[in-house]
Amino acid sequence: MSLADLDMVLDWAAAEGWNPGLDDARAFHAADDRGFFLARVGSEPVAAISVVNHDAGNAFLGLYLCRPDWRGQGIGLATWIHALEHAGTRSVGLDGVAAQEANYAKSGFVRTGASLRHEGFWPAARSPEVRAADAADMPRLIELDAAAGGFGRPAFLNAWLAPDQPERSTRLLQKDGEIVGFATWRTYRDGTKIGPVIAPSTATALELIADIAAERPNGPLIVDLPEANTALRRALEGAGFTVPFATARMYRGTVPQTGPGLQAIATMELG
């Protein structure tokens, strides 16, 4: 896909109710500009998928879509098979809807847990230890993300975390002068999505979320949590956050070993 193609596919995702961010395409494409695939019948685009190679050992699959009037003809499956070749021998992760879990298993994907979307409001509170990230902070934020997620994804994060973006901003947390965590918010078509949230504890994760609540007072906050993060789940659900849907987290190949700093994922499309 070209960047314009990806913008179109994100519009398809919005029509499916996926509620993508307003400026996701540019950062997604920067992660791996050869990792987005569009199937056409003649000149008409009909199906899409992404398989983004983050590093030499890890990839992530998302944006698997076929237009409703072209389903049931094998086009989606052919696109899936073609795109997975891009990953080579890498392990591949995905967040899949329950209805497709059995189909993903046929391609060797094994469920390892779930990603749970949480939506609601959190009390706003500024912290003197939270500030906006700038370009000089990028190496440390990329290091923290790799320790939390189990592998590095610098191309994606250099675009995702870049300062001075109108629809996305990263807030970082400093303790005793050291950057120990961060969280990125981005404008959704409905609400504000927060992700990733990388922090050493539930309390520090909530410190970052409260700061973003002060920056983004209108509309709900949306946070996608790993199923295993029961402490943050309890805190958000105790404050009235609902869980409108969940996806199956599945992997083909070696599963990355995540660290305790992974509080919430960045995006269900790129991990």
Side-chain angles (χ1 to χ4, degrees), residues 51-262:
V51 178
V52 169
N53 293 338
H54 283 303
D55 70 1
N58 296 274
F60 206 86
L61 183 154
L63 287 175
Y64 184 39
L65 290 157
C66 186
R67 285 173 43 193
D69 48 331
W70 289 96
R71 292 173 187 167
Q73 302 181 46
I75 298 170
L77 178 59
T79 308
W80 165 281
I81 292 169
H82 174 82
L84 273 173
E85 294 177 359
H86 179 65
T89 60
R90 293 172 178 83
S91 296
V92 184
L94 62 80
D95 276 307
V97 295
Q100 293 294 326
E101 189 174 340
N103 288 330
Y104 300 151
K106 294 176 184 176
S107 293
F109 285 86
V110 176
R111 182 183 176 122
T112 62
S115 298
L116 311 179
R117 175 148 296 175
H118 285 66
E119 185 172 322
F121 296 85
W122 188 260
R126 292 292 191 184
S127 167
E129 297 178 313
V130 177
R131 65 169 174 84
D134 60 37
D137 301 315
M138 292 301 109
R140 175 58 175 163
L141 303 189
I142 291 169
E143 177 187 25
L144 288 170
D145 182 83
F151 61 90
R153 45 183 185 172
F156 170 54
L157 290 175
N158 275 314
W160 195 250
L161 307 180
D164 302 321
Q165 299 184 72
E167 303 294 350
R168 181 168 48 250
S169 181
T170 295
R171 307 288 292 173
L172 60 79
L173 177 67
Q174 288 185 283
K175 299 286 187 183
D176 299 322
E178 180 185 7
I179 300 171
V180 298
F182 70 94
T184 300
W185 65 258
R186 73 190 197 270
T187 305
Y188 257 31
R189 301 187 186 208
D190 180 19
T192 296
K193 171 73 182 299
I194 303 175
V197 180
I198 307 297
S201 65
T202 302
T204 50
L206 291 171
E207 192 173 352
L208 286 161
I209 290 170
D211 177 85
I212 290 173
E215 286 220 330
R216 306 289 294 171
N218 299 321
L221 302 176
I222 302 159
V223 192
D224 294 337
L225 304 184
E227 180 182 41
N229 191 354
T230 54
L232 188 52
R233 285 171 53 196
R234 281 196 298 266
L236 295 179
E237 291 165 22
F241 276 66
T242 60
V243 183
F245 74 88
T247 60
R249 174 57 68 95
M250 306 179 76
Y251 285 92
R252 189 184 75 175
T254 303
V255 179
Q257 296 302 302
T258 58
L262 181 59

